[in-house]
mmCIF file of all heavy atoms in Angstrom:
data_model
loop_
_atom_site.group_PDB
_atom_site.id
_atom_site.type_symbol
_atom_site.label_atom_id
_atom_site.label_comp_id
_atom_site.label_asym_id
_atom_site.label_seq_id
_atom_site.Cartn_x
_atom_site.Cartn_y
_atom_site.Cartn_z
ATOM 1 N N ASN A 324 -3.583 26.588 3.681
ATOM 2 C CA ASN A 324 -2.619 27.410 4.422
ATOM 3 C C ASN A 324 -1.189 26.948 4.154
ATOM 4 O O ASN A 324 -0.268 27.770 4.085
ATOM 5 C CB ASN A 324 -2.922 27.364 5.929
ATOM 6 C CG ASN A 324 -4.158 28.175 6.284
ATOM 7 O OD1 ASN A 324 -4.489 29.145 5.590
ATOM 8 N ND2 ASN A 324 -4.861 27.784 7.329
ATOM 9 N N ASN A 325 -0.988 25.630 4.017
ATOM 10 C CA ASN A 325 0.341 25.122 3.631
ATOM 11 C C ASN A 325 0.762 25.715 2.298
ATOM 12 O O ASN A 325 1.906 26.136 2.112
ATOM 13 C CB ASN A 325 0.312 23.595 3.513
ATOM 14 C CG ASN A 325 0.345 22.884 4.849
ATOM 15 O OD1 ASN A 325 0.592 23.505 5.884
ATOM 16 N ND2 ASN A 325 0.089 21.595 4.835
ATOM 17 N N CYS A 326 -0.181 25.751 1.367
ATOM 18 C CA CYS A 326 0.093 26.268 0.024
ATOM 19 C C CYS A 326 0.475 27.746 0.075
ATOM 20 O O CYS A 326 1.436 28.183 -0.555
ATOM 21 C CB CYS A 326 -1.129 26.050 -0.873
ATOM 22 S SG CYS A 326 -0.926 26.638 -2.560
ATOM 23 N N LYS A 327 -0.291 28.513 0.869
ATOM 24 C CA LYS A 327 -0.015 29.955 0.970
ATOM 25 C C LYS A 327 1.293 30.236 1.698
ATOM 26 O O LYS A 327 1.981 31.206 1.413
ATOM 27 C CB LYS A 327 -1.190 30.658 1.664
ATOM 28 C CG LYS A 327 -2.445 30.695 0.801
ATOM 29 C CD LYS A 327 -3.469 31.680 1.312
ATOM 30 C CE LYS A 327 -4.172 31.162 2.541
ATOM 31 N NZ LYS A 327 -5.281 32.065 2.953
ATOM 32 N N LEU A 328 1.643 29.350 2.639
ATOM 33 C CA LEU A 328 2.882 29.523 3.385
ATOM 34 C C LEU A 328 4.095 29.277 2.494
ATOM 35 O O LEU A 328 5.096 29.999 2.561
ATOM 36 C CB LEU A 328 2.909 28.571 4.584
ATOM 37 C CG LEU A 328 4.177 28.568 5.451
ATOM 38 C CD1 LEU A 328 4.399 29.938 6.078
ATOM 39 C CD2 LEU A 328 4.069 27.493 6.541
ATOM 40 N N TYR A 329 4.013 28.270 1.615
ATOM 41 C CA TYR A 329 5.187 27.899 0.813
ATOM 42 C C TYR A 329 5.337 28.761 -0.442
ATOM 43 O O TYR A 329 6.454 29.054 -0.865
ATOM 44 C CB TYR A 329 5.092 26.417 0.407
ATOM 45 C CG TYR A 329 6.327 25.937 -0.318
ATOM 46 C CD1 TYR A 329 7.455 25.542 0.392
ATOM 47 C CD2 TYR A 329 6.371 25.910 -1.713
ATOM 48 C CE1 TYR A 329 8.597 25.131 -0.264
ATOM 49 C CE2 TYR A 329 7.510 25.504 -2.381
ATOM 50 C CZ TYR A 329 8.625 25.113 -1.648
ATOM 51 O OH TYR A 329 9.764 24.711 -2.297
ATOM 52 N N ASN A 330 4.220 29.177 -1.043
ATOM 53 C CA ASN A 330 4.274 29.860 -2.346
ATOM 54 C C ASN A 330 4.137 31.369 -2.207
ATOM 55 O O ASN A 330 3.502 31.871 -1.273
ATOM 56 C CB ASN A 330 3.162 29.325 -3.259
ATOM 57 C CG ASN A 330 3.354 27.847 -3.586
ATOM 58 O OD1 ASN A 330 4.198 27.489 -4.376
ATOM 59 N ND2 ASN A 330 2.563 26.994 -2.936
ATOM 60 N N ASP A 331 4.715 32.088 -3.158
ATOM 61 C CA ASP A 331 4.639 33.556 -3.165
ATOM 62 C C ASP A 331 3.205 34.014 -3.384
ATOM 63 O O ASP A 331 2.415 33.320 -4.036
ATOM 64 C CB ASP A 331 5.521 34.119 -4.285
ATOM 65 C CG ASP A 331 7.004 33.838 -4.031
ATOM 66 O OD1 ASP A 331 7.377 33.690 -2.856
ATOM 67 O OD2 ASP A 331 7.756 33.735 -5.021
ATOM 68 N N GLU A 332 2.887 35.212 -2.886
ATOM 69 C CA GLU A 332 1.515 35.727 -2.986
ATOM 70 C C GLU A 332 1.071 35.941 -4.422
ATOM 71 O O GLU A 332 -0.122 35.846 -4.719
ATOM 72 C CB GLU A 332 1.395 37.042 -2.209
ATOM 73 C CG GLU A 332 1.381 36.863 -0.697
ATOM 74 C CD GLU A 332 1.010 38.149 0.020
ATOM 75 O OE1 GLU A 332 0.412 39.041 -0.625
ATOM 76 O OE2 GLU A 332 1.317 38.261 1.219
ATOM 77 N N ASP A 333 2.003 36.238 -5.313
ATOM 78 C CA ASP A 333 1.615 36.506 -6.709
ATOM 79 C C ASP A 333 1.667 35.247 -7.580
ATOM 80 O O ASP A 333 1.540 35.331 -8.811
ATOM 81 C CB ASP A 333 2.514 37.589 -7.316
ATOM 82 C CG ASP A 333 3.989 37.204 -7.268
ATOM 83 O OD1 ASP A 333 4.320 36.191 -6.609
ATOM 84 O OD2 ASP A 333 4.813 37.911 -7.892
ATOM 85 N N SER A 334 1.835 34.076 -6.960
ATOM 86 C CA SER A 334 1.907 32.833 -7.727
ATOM 87 C C SER A 334 0.507 32.282 -8.025
ATOM 88 O O SER A 334 -0.466 32.588 -7.334
ATOM 89 C CB SER A 334 2.714 31.779 -6.967
ATOM 90 O OG SER A 334 2.015 31.362 -5.810
ATOM 91 N N THR A 335 0.430 31.427 -9.043
ATOM 92 C CA THR A 335 -0.837 30.766 -9.395
ATOM 93 C C THR A 335 -1.317 29.883 -8.249
ATOM 94 O O THR A 335 -2.519 29.800 -7.979
ATOM 95 C CB THR A 335 -0.645 29.897 -10.659
ATOM 96 O OG1 THR A 335 -0.177 30.728 -11.717
ATOM 97 C CG2 THR A 335 -1.947 29.239 -11.073
ATOM 98 N N TYR A 336 -0.386 29.216 -7.567
ATOM 99 C CA TYR A 336 -0.746 28.318 -6.471
ATOM 100 C C TYR A 336 -1.413 29.085 -5.332
ATOM 101 O O TYR A 336 -2.411 28.642 -4.751
ATOM 102 C CB TYR A 336 0.493 27.577 -5.956
ATOM 103 C CG TYR A 336 1.155 26.715 -6.992
ATOM 104 C CD1 TYR A 336 2.345 27.107 -7.607
ATOM 105 C CD2 TYR A 336 0.592 25.508 -7.376
ATOM 106 C CE1 TYR A 336 2.948 26.316 -8.579
ATOM 107 C CE2 TYR A 336 1.182 24.703 -8.347
ATOM 108 C CZ TYR A 336 2.366 25.124 -8.941
ATOM 109 O OH TYR A 336 2.954 24.339 -9.901
ATOM 110 N N HIS A 337 -0.853 30.255 -5.004
ATOM 111 C CA HIS A 337 -1.415 31.085 -3.931
ATOM 112 C C HIS A 337 -2.818 31.547 -4.309
ATOM 113 O O HIS A 337 -3.745 31.554 -3.474
ATOM 114 C CB HIS A 337 -0.497 32.282 -3.687
ATOM 115 C CG HIS A 337 -0.666 32.907 -2.331
ATOM 116 N ND1 HIS A 337 -1.744 33.693 -2.001
ATOM 117 C CD2 HIS A 337 0.098 32.825 -1.206
ATOM 118 C CE1 HIS A 337 -1.630 34.100 -0.748
ATOM 119 N NE2 HIS A 337 -0.516 33.587 -0.234
ATOM 120 N N GLU A 338 -2.998 31.885 -5.576
ATOM 121 C CA GLU A 338 -4.314 32.318 -6.060
ATOM 122 C C GLU A 338 -5.336 31.182 -5.955
ATOM 123 O O GLU A 338 -6.483 31.393 -5.536
ATOM 124 C CB GLU A 338 -4.193 32.785 -7.510
ATOM 125 C CG GLU A 338 -5.502 33.295 -8.102
ATOM 126 C CD GLU A 338 -5.371 33.672 -9.573
ATOM 127 O OE1 GLU A 338 -4.231 33.681 -10.086
ATOM 128 O OE2 GLU A 338 -6.408 33.933 -10.205
#
Side-chain angles (χ1 to χ4, degrees):
N324 286 332
N325 283 349
C326 180
K327 290 195 285 186
L328 177 62
Y329 185 82
N330 296 285
D331 294 334
E332 286 190 20
D333 58 351
S334 68
T335 302
Y336 299 105
H337 201 285
E338 182 184 352

